[in-house]
Amino acid sequence: MIEVQGLTKRYGPKTAVDGMSFTVHPGRVTGFLGPNGAGKSTTMRMIVGLDHPSAGTATVNGRRYAEHHAPLHEVGALLDAKAVHTGRSARNHLRAMAATHGIGRSRVDEVIDMTGLAPVADKRVGGFSLGMGQRLGIAAALLGDPQVLILDEPVNGLDPEGVLWVRTLARHLASQGRTVFLSSHLMSEMALTADHLIVVGRGKVLADAPVADVVAGATGKVVRVRSPRATELEDLLRRAGAGVVTTEPGLLEVTGRSRSQVGDAAADAGLPLHELTEVGGSLEDAYLQLTAEELEYQSSALDQTTGAFAPTTEGALR
Amino acid sequence: MTTTTRTALPALPEARTSRTNRTRSGDGVTFARVVVAEWAKFTSLRSTTWTLVATVVAMVGVSVLAAWGTTIDAVDAGTGPMNLAQFLGAGYQLGQLSVAVLGVLTITGEYSTGMIRSTFAAVPRRVPVLGAKALVLAGVVALTSLVSLALSYLATMPFHDALGARLDLGDPETLRLTLGVPLYLVAISLLAFGVGVLVRHSAGALTAVIALLLVVENVLMLIPLRVIELISPFLPSTAGRRLLFDQETLTAVDAATSGAHLTPWQGYGVLLAWVAGLLVLGAWLLRRRDA
Ligand SMILES: Nc1ncnc2c1ncn2[C@@H]1O[C@H](COP(=O)(O)OP(=O)(O)OP(=O)(O)O)[C@@H](O)[C@H]1O
Ligand SMILES: [Mg+2]
């Protein structure tokens, strides 16, 4: 369990994290979602005591991270990829980390096998690909077999097989009753991996709810209706109290009414319909809507992230 | 054959059964474990090995050159027997540079690569890391200096007779000059380490330390200002180096400078005070700063 209370971090005049409060519960995967510069990494660094909060507190299993006698057994963290000396081999890196807690070499070999690092374990980390560095970070996080895992963009740089593996791993760890907290700005990934979402923008929590609720709550459903007698239909729906927007001649976007309600109303008035669809409700829509005003780096960065991956459909949401 | 080069998806971790076992008090971070970890880190970097080898080669090389050169001079000038300790420690000037580099990189190498975040995630109290690193560094530098002395002794053997030199460790001054080498080099490596902890960037810290050792103190000694004359004897390497000077050199140095004339051990004490000051300041900042 991770508890964050009024957490704030200022770097000079810049407020990177602005009074965040949330709780990450065990037994499920909690996604930490937000655009670039939203403060996800900073928050995670504060949780594991690397950055000092300007205000507020962060505790893991009831204590501040630094107060744990055996932190690696409590929390496994993958922070920035390659928080590793480039001149050392993966195995030696893990052995040195393990030594601080008296963790044996057999456990080091175990996590190396688990993360598929075996073929490169004795090579210098400096020559690792982004994906191998990421696997090493995950191996280090698993070293102490911790109850809480904090993974900052774990799929960053992984190949499709690796992405699938991280997703399976995260779900598996949560199913064992562990607390799994992972950040991403990839909504499609979150839709597939997370049960619960904490959406942030500009250092503030924008939403903290199950994935499905975030989607429903942020977008509301929109019904798209095409009719040759759109103007009459618009009048009719407006009089009934629905929200209507005309985006092009003959096409209406209706909010506040379900698809069947719109269809029935048209039938009662004898108005023909050429199209009747329910749109919206994807996590991407929800996300864009939530973070629209909170964007740190307008458009270009976000366009890239949204464009770069396979489209998220409603079907992907649980 | 349809086997691909890809490995199968790695196994998923099993929940370990005996969590309670691992929360026993014997299972957490202890200073001894941090020392073991720092030792493992130190010995698993090729660059440190090479720096140490370079230190030994440089120090032995200078010893041999000094002995050989003096043999020629001595024959010409016909001087009397000499103290061998002076030749064995002759390479300290070069040696101090490489141990200073080692001291700086011990800590700044972790900052430049991001390793420091892994280190502090494992030992969030941080100060034990500082202590363990200092301990490992001091031990390794002491050992390296002793090895250099021993090898220098062996390598200069062909010149011992010609120099009429002997090594009488029963003589207090000889003992001081000999042990002074590891003591001085350990202190210098820790001084550099302390600067590294404060500065955190390799290039900045290296420049600062090397400038301090080679330039600043020597330049200051040339400035005939009263304030500087008063301060100068208390600068770290000016003070510490006195441990490596024989009585003759000390007298000559003192004749050329005004200000305090420290005894060799007082001088070394001043150097140690600098080291302690830097490390205490470093520890304080280490806890306060973001990693
Ligand atoms: N050490 C630092 N000094 C100054 N500013 C910083 C520092 N670390 C982060 N910031 C700023 O704080 C803000 C939040 O950064 P952070 O890395 O936490 O965002 P993020 O949500 O992880 O973004 P991304 O998705 O790009 O990883 C950014 O504007 C960043 O520039
Ligand atoms: Mg980040």
Side-chain angles (χ1 to χ4, degrees):
Chain A
M1 176 124 98
I2 303 169
E3 284 161 295
V4 165
Q5 267 300 324
L7 202 61
T8 300
K9 179 69 185 179
R10 287 182 215 99
Y11 294 108
K14 159 130 202 128
T15 304
V17 175
D18 193 358
M20 280 198 199
S21 296
F22 58 80
T23 302
V24 183
H25 295 277
R28 63 194 192 197
V29 178
T30 302
F32 198 29
L33 187 62
N36 292 123
K40 305 181 293 294
S41 301
T42 306
T43 305
M44 287 177 154
R45 281 200 306 273
M46 286 192 282
I47 295 172
V48 296
L50 290 175
D51 281 15
H52 301 291
S54 310
T57 56
T59 61
V60 183
N61 296 337
R63 282 192 206 177
R64 288 198 309 116
Y65 184 84
E67 284 163 4
H68 283 292
H69 188 58
L72 293 186
H73 287 319
E74 299 290 336
V75 184
L78 164 76
L79 296 165
D80 305 274
K82 291 200 178 178
V84 178
H85 200 297
T86 41
R88 211 170 268 127
S89 74
R91 194 185 305 278
N92 283 331
H93 169 72
L94 292 171
R95 280 183 181 170
M97 296 274 292
T100 58
H101 283 59
I103 297 170
R105 294 191 164 191
S106 60
R107 177 63 183 168
V108 169
D109 296 339
E110 234 170 87
V111 296
I112 285 174
D113 288 340
M114 236 182 245
T115 48
L117 275 176
V120 295
D122 295 306
K123 299 217 165 71
R124 282 163 32 129
V125 176
F128 274 23
S129 65
L130 189 53
M132 280 301 165
Q134 208 66 337
R135 283 166 193 260
L136 176 56
I138 294 173
L142 293 173
L143 205 53
D145 190 27
Q147 275 302 319
V148 175
L149 283 124
I150 296 176
L151 309 174
D152 194 1
E153 314 220 6
V155 301
N156 188 18
L158 292 183
D159 55 21
E161 183 206 19
V163 172
L164 179 65
W165 177 71
V166 168
R167 190 183 301 153
T168 319
L169 174 72
R171 301 220 53 81
H172 180 77
L173 292 168
S175 75
Q176 291 173 336
R178 300 181 208 239
T179 305
V180 182
F181 187 40
L182 54 98
S183 83
S184 178
H185 45 242
L186 302 185
M187 296 129 279
S188 58
E189 190 46 46
M190 284 288 142
L192 292 170
T193 313
D195 305 300
H196 193 92
L197 280 185
I198 295 169
V199 184
V200 291
R202 282 211 185 167
K204 291 202 170 78
V205 176
L206 303 177
D208 180 352
V211 173
D213 292 5
V214 171
V215 175
T219 57
K221 291 278 192 281
V222 175
V223 179
R224 192 160 61 190
V225 207
R226 207 181 286 275
S227 167
R229 293 163 68 184
T231 344
E232 289 166 64
L233 184 59
E234 186 176 347
D235 284 346
L236 180 74
L237 290 168
R238 275 192 203 278
R239 264 184 274 118
V244 185
V245 179
T246 314
T247 47
E248 60 181 80
L251 185 65
L252 305 177
E253 292 202 337
V254 185
T255 49
R257 287 291 178 278
S258 73
R259 188 169 48 174
S260 47
Q261 285 171 326
V262 175
D264 290 349
D268 291 346
L271 298 173
L273 297 185
H274 291 178
E275 184 189 338
L276 182 61
T277 35
E278 219 161 52
V279 293
S282 79
L283 185 53
E284 273 160 341
D285 290 334
Y287 174 74
L288 288 173
Q289 195 169 328
L290 272 170
T291 57
E293 299 109 59
E294 305 287 344
L295 276 190
E296 163 92 355
Y297 305 108
Q298 278 294 344
S299 70
S300 62
L302 192 64
D303 285 347
Q304 271 170 12
T305 49
T306 51
F309 51 82
T312 306
T313 59
E314 285 166 85
L317 298 172
R318 271 173 302 279
Chain B
M1 280 294 284
T2 53
T3 41
T4 62
T5 50
R6 280 186 183 286
T7 46
L9 274 183
L12 292 170
E14 284 308 306
R16 292 195 152 184
T17 42
S18 49
R19 274 201 62 76
T20 43
N21 279 352
R22 289 186 293 95
T23 42
R24 286 175 314 186
S25 57
D27 220 26
V29 180
T30 61
F31 184 66
R33 282 175 173 168
V34 179
V35 174
V36 172
E38 288 303 327
W39 173 253
K41 281 190 202 170
F42 195 93
T43 52
S44 59
L45 283 182
R46 258 185 275 170
S47 56
T48 52
T49 318
W50 286 116
T51 312
L52 293 175
V53 170
T55 311
V56 173
V57 169
M59 289 186 63
V60 174
V62 172
S63 287
V64 172
L65 283 177
W68 177 56
T70 314
T71 329
I72 298 166
D73 288 351
V75 172
D76 293 346
T79 39
M82 298 185 207
N83 195 334
L84 191 56
Q86 271 174 278
F87 295 101
L88 303 188
Y92 84 91
Q93 303 242 33
L94 216 47
Q96 70 176 354
L97 292 184
S98 58
V99 300
V101 170
L102 193 66
V104 165
L105 292 183
T106 299
I107 183 73
T108 60
E110 293 216 3
Y111 278 103
S112 63
T113 55
M115 177 69 198
I116 198 74
R117 287 192 293 273
S118 293
T119 300
F120 288 161
V123 187
R125 286 176 206 274
R126 301 186 183 181
V127 175
V129 172
L130 196 73
K133 277 188 186 297
L135 202 62
V136 168
L137 179 68
V140 168
V141 170
L143 199 71
T144 307
S145 327
L146 289 171
V147 168
S148 294
L149 286 176
L151 290 180
S152 294
Y153 183 82
L154 295 177
T156 53
M157 273 174 109
F159 308 105
H160 290 184
D161 285 346
L163 292 169
R166 29 174 201 94
L167 191 70
D168 176 13
L169 291 176
D171 169 42
E173 181 167 276
T174 308
L175 189 64
R176 166 170 71 77
L177 294 178
T178 310
L179 285 185
V181 174
L183 288 175
Y184 176 76
L185 291 182
V186 164
I188 290 296
S189 70
L190 290 176
L191 186 80
F193 173 66
V195 172
V197 172
L198 297 182
V199 177
R200 299 194 283 186
H201 297 284
S202 303
L206 283 174
T207 310
V209 170
I210 289 175
L212 187 70
L213 291 180
L214 294 187
V215 188
V216 179
E217 298 190 19
N218 296 327
V219 169
L220 284 184
M221 273 197 277
L222 300 176
I223 302 174
L225 275 178
R226 186 68 192 145
V227 193
I228 293 174
E229 281 172 357
L230 287 177
I231 296 172
S232 204
F234 296 98
L235 291 175
S237 88
T238 307
R241 226 177 308 187
R242 295 177 73 86
L243 190 63
L244 300 173
F245 291 163
D246 62 6
Q247 197 49 56
E248 218 175 310
T249 316
L250 286 171
T251 315
V253 168
D254 289 346
T257 54
S258 56
H261 295 154
L262 304 174
T263 70
W265 290 106
Q266 280 171 346
Y268 188 66
V270 168
L271 173 58
L272 287 186
W274 277 94
V275 170
L278 278 178
L279 290 180
V280 167
L281 181 62
W284 182 71
L285 280 175
L286 198 71
R287 287 186 63 101
R288 296 198 64 216
R289 294 200 283 211
D290 291 339

